[in-house]
Amino acid sequence: MYRNSVIRSAALALAISLSLGAPSAFAADQATASASSTAVQRKAIAQGLYELAFSPKQNAVFVASSGGFGDAAGPSQVLRLNPETLAVETAIPLERKGFGVVLDDANNRLYVGNTVDTSVTVVDTATNKSVGIVQLMEKKVGKDGKAAYTHDLRELVVDGANNRLYVTGHSGEGSVLFVVDTQSLKVINTIPGLGNAKAPGLALDAKAKRVYTSNLLAEVVTVGTDSGKVEQRFKVSAEQPMNIALDPAGKRLFVTDQGSEMIRKYQASSSGFESKHPGQRVLVLDRTTGKELASIPTDAGPLGILLDAPRKRLYVTNRDGGTVTAYNSDTYKQVATYAVPTHPNSLALDAKKNVLYVTVKNGDSEPKGSEESVARIAL
């Protein structure tokens, strides 16, 4: 029974946080150049790939493999990849299924979100070993008499200089922000107020002492890392605000607005939310006021987002469109499209070499238990 409840919990978390988008409501600019297929290198890696990170210090790509679910599931692990060939150099075993990741390169730490166990595994990237698990909360006994976690996880951000890790805990009864001391590996605060819905997006401005989160009540919520409480909340026109990218030199937030029919049904059933916008875009916001600055059309199912501020480039994964799109982050014009079917998911950048790495999820037509891929895009 416990195993089945874990699988159901994982399925719900991933359906909401990583769902496929509906057909695009916008047509792409016909003048936009499609990138050459020779720029894209791709390799099947393992089952259940999710987020990844590039380490300049280690000259390696680290990707989380949950192993999938069911009888055909593989091992849960972090895989260290050669950044040129995508060959697996080292497999780092995990005790718990890994999904989201964030890298603290200066301190040789990779933090891996164990979504269904409401915990974080700490990996030493210099020794390629798991060195600890941070349990973010304990199980609670519900009305059915069974013990279960009340929150699941998605995104993580780290402030290595100040020894802090921030993780969103999702719950329709009230999402929270967990704060972890990365030296003691202990939870030092659990901040409420992120909204009574899934809170998929997370970004950190360490200098300004602010964490930005999104939720599926069409809100952006700002938490003060100094005050330990919610400082601002804005209603936004993005009905399904997912991942967030922050402009480090200004006041802008870039938020993917997915436009998934599955999420619409979740919103309607959980809060009576009435949809008025098809999504399929990136919303640009003033993070101090919540004012909408721009709406950028995307391919179907935008999810992952990454800003390369020095090059003025914004990259978006379009899960249902099977593409990664590149935009000029100042003019918001689409400048390139990279085909990476079936479902491109998460992004990481080698800023020095100008290379983008993408996890690619399988579609429903792929054989059960088949490996998922990482793509390398020479930009």
Side-chain angles (χ1 to χ4, degrees), residues 208-250:
K209 299 181 180 179
R210 292 293 182 266
V211 167
Y212 299 88
T213 70
S214 63
N215 67 38
L216 295 184
L217 296 174
E219 292 181 323
V220 170
V221 181
T222 306
V223 176
T225 61
D226 50 352
S227 66
K229 64 180 183 181
V230 171
E231 296 290 347
Q232 288 181 304
R233 64 190 324 121
F234 302 117
K235 277 287 185 180
V236 297
S237 62
E239 294 180 355
Q240 299 178 16
M242 301 297 284
N243 286 27
I244 301 173
L246 181 148
D247 180 359

Side-chain angles (χ1 to χ4, degrees), residues 39 308 311 313 315 326 338 349-350 353-356 377-379:
D308 183 357
R311 292 189 177 91
R313 287 293 180 265
Y315 301 101
Y338 303 91
L349 179 70
D350 178 348
K353 294 183 178 179
N354 201 22
V355 172
L356 195 66
I377 304 174
L379 299 167

